[in-house]
Amino acid sequence: MEETINLRELFLVLRKRLWLIVLITIIAATVSGVISFFVLTPVYESKTQILVNQAKSDQQLYNNQTVQTNVQLINTYNDIITSPAILDKVVKELKLNKSAQSLSGQIQVTSAQDSQVAQIVVQDTSAKRAVQIANTTASVFQKQVSKLMNVDNVKVLSKATLGESASPVKPQPLLNVVTAVVVGLMVGIGLSFLLEYLDNTLKTEQDIENILALPVIGVVTNIKDVPKPTNVSRPDVAARVPQRGETYGS
């Protein structure tokens, strides 16, 4: 016998275990909110830009080959910026209590396609320290690249600045809570259908007809709120055992 999916039955399953779905969703949202607000450490982000551009004389004009060479150099510079040759000096200059390898995990160098501008993005638990790392990294790289590559084609285009009201980039509590609500709903709905699938008990006469394919001959109903019998005693009748030869009411 083929089993068909009935939308009404699915709706009844969700309604029957609505409390479970709501409970799991509330727990997931609460846990996510508590972790986002009270457990995770805020992380701030700072950015600085550098321009890769060859120094040109008055007679030298821009051409496509020169621009393409500068674009290709950016890929090499991206690796140099996060190398110990640069970051060791950044750590020493800022007196950071971390290694160059650990600092490289906080720095990301990006550049748009066919662009001569590279962006140094730094994330740190301190907004002020993130600005210092970004600006120092750009400055140290500008000084060291001429020694490493024998070229002088890097300029700091824009420095990182510390805003008056710096806001962390992560965690994002609202996004985390919304994600937790969606995940909680999915888990709650999935668990509801799983419990319904594992429940093989017969609860109604309709279950007997559908599963056992047997007709229902009779149904024993539940009688609720049946009034209990009460003993009403007459006040004019004495509650005593009649003596020999006596009858009640005599």
Side-chain angles (χ1 to χ4, degrees), residues 203-219:
K203 296 181 176 62
T204 63
E205 59 271 15
Q206 188 67 29
D207 294 339
I208 298 176
E209 293 181 350
N210 294 337
I211 298 176
L212 301 180
L214 296 175
V216 178
I217 299 177
V219 178

Side-chain angles (χ1 to χ4, degrees), residues 28-166:
T30 302
V31 172
S32 176
V34 170
I35 293 177
S36 299
F37 283 104
F38 302 105
V39 178
L40 297 179
T41 303
V43 175
Y44 299 88
E45 186 176 88
S46 185
K47 303 176 182 178
T48 184
Q49 292 179 320
I50 59 174
L51 174 65
V52 179
N53 188 25
Q54 295 284 354
K56 293 177 171 53
S57 61
D58 295 338
Q59 292 80 19
Q60 188 177 7
L61 300 176
Y62 285 97
N63 57 70
N64 292 333
Q65 184 177 359
T66 303
V67 173
Q68 188 63 29
T69 301
N70 292 332
V71 171
Q72 292 175 353
L73 281 175
I74 288 181
N75 296 327
T76 303
Y77 290 169
N78 292 349
D79 296 329
I80 296 177
I81 291 174
T82 55
S83 67
I86 303 299
L87 297 186
D88 279 337
K89 291 180 173 56
V90 174
V91 171
K92 183 178 181 180
E93 185 171 337
L94 295 178
K95 299 180 181 180
L96 300 176
N97 188 21
K98 59 182 64 180
S99 63
Q101 183 178 3
S102 176
L103 181 60
S104 65
Q106 301 178 227
I107 300 176
Q108 183 180 7
V109 184
T110 61
S111 59
Q113 185 176 5
D114 297 333
S115 174
Q116 295 179 248
V117 178
Q119 187 169 244
I120 301 175
V121 183
V122 179
Q123 292 186 349
D124 195 88
T125 54
S126 170
K128 180 179 180 181
R129 189 164 55 238
V131 171
Q132 292 175 341
I133 293 175
N135 289 332
T136 305
T137 302
S139 176
V140 171
F141 173 70
Q142 183 182 15
K143 296 175 182 177
Q144 295 298 318
V145 70
S146 59
K147 300 177 182 179
L148 297 174
M149 301 286 294
N150 292 323
V151 292
D152 185 14
N153 62 344
V154 175
K155 296 181 180 179
V156 177
L157 188 62
S158 64
K159 292 185 177 182
T161 58
L162 180 62
E164 295 182 358
S165 58

Side-chain angles (χ1 to χ4, degrees), residues 8-19 21:
R8 184 172 180 273
E9 292 179 356
L10 296 179
F11 175 75
L12 292 177
V13 170
L14 295 178
R15 189 177 68 175
K16 182 171 67 174
R17 291 192 166 84
L18 181 62
W19 65 270
I21 299 174

Side-chain angles (χ1 to χ4, degrees), residues 2 22 26 58 164 180-181 186 208 212 241:
E2 296 182 356
V22 174
I26 293 176
D58 295 338
E164 295 182 358
V181 169
M186 295 174 60
I208 298 176
L212 301 180
V241 179

